[in-house]
Amino acid sequence: MRSLFIVLEGPDAAGKSTQLRLLSAELSARGIPVVVTKEPGGTELGKHLRRLLLDPRRRIEPLAELFLLLADRHQHVEELIKPALAAGKTVISSRYTLSSLAYQGRGRGLSMDLVRRLNELATGGLQPDYTFLLDLPPEVARERTADRDRFEAEGMDFYSRVREAYLELIREVPNGHVIDATLPPEEVKRRILERLPLV
């Protein structure tokens, strides 16, 4: 099969990291070369930016936050995602462009048109082949998090706006699918796999 670019979207605590691990193991067992990564933090530069972005002691203006995330995304695309796809590997990333639209656009109140245009610049137009929104109600996400980073410390109103944005935006995405993240991890994995052309 050809290489695929697969993105897992959704709020914190939706199980994206768990699915990265489960899907990677499943694809590897099927003989499919796979690279798993995340935003922010998929590159060395991204790791430094991630520490800044998640530090709960740090106040970052919404537009500055967006620029930092887009710097991470551009580096991520050029250094890791494009080379992996060119080498015939399937890439599974936790977060991509929808995160910026949901969090910085709807959540922080930045212009959605601006976020779209800057995303296009940062990614060079690279779009996922499949996007899976792991949907989780904000109150359930809050129950699953203990030590909260700068984003997780936001209130329920913020996360309600983010969720609403995700559920609207995923309808515009080619091969975009909503998966109920309250289900057991193995069932979430099964529902993702049945939507992928892996055989």
Side-chain angles (χ1 to χ4, degrees), residues 3 12 21 31 34 36 69 92 97 105 109 126 129 139 146 149 188:
S3 59
D12 297 304
R21 176 175 52 80
V34 60
V36 296
L69 287 161
I92 310 175
T97 56
L126 179 66
D129 296 294
E139 58 273 16
D149 62 34
V188 172

Side-chain angles (χ1 to χ4, degrees), residues 85-151:
L85 293 173
K89 299 176 181 178
T90 285
V91 176
I92 310 175
S93 178
S94 171
R95 300 200 184 282
Y96 195 55
T97 56
L98 281 194
S99 284
S100 296
L101 288 162
Y103 278 78
Q104 285 72 51
R106 190 67 59 79
R108 302 292 191 207
L110 295 177
S111 160
M112 296 292 273
D113 182 58
L114 173 67
V115 177
R116 289 181 195 279
R117 287 188 284 116
L118 291 175
N119 261 324
E120 179 77 13
L121 183 63
T123 64
L126 179 66
Q127 294 298 319
D129 296 294
Y130 291 85
T131 301
F132 295 95
L133 169 59
L134 305 187
D135 179 45
L136 193 68
E139 58 273 16
V140 179
R142 179 56 61 104
E143 290 172 3
R144 291 184 179 183
T145 54
D147 298 325
R148 296 193 172 101
D149 62 34
R150 201 175 63 83
F151 286 95

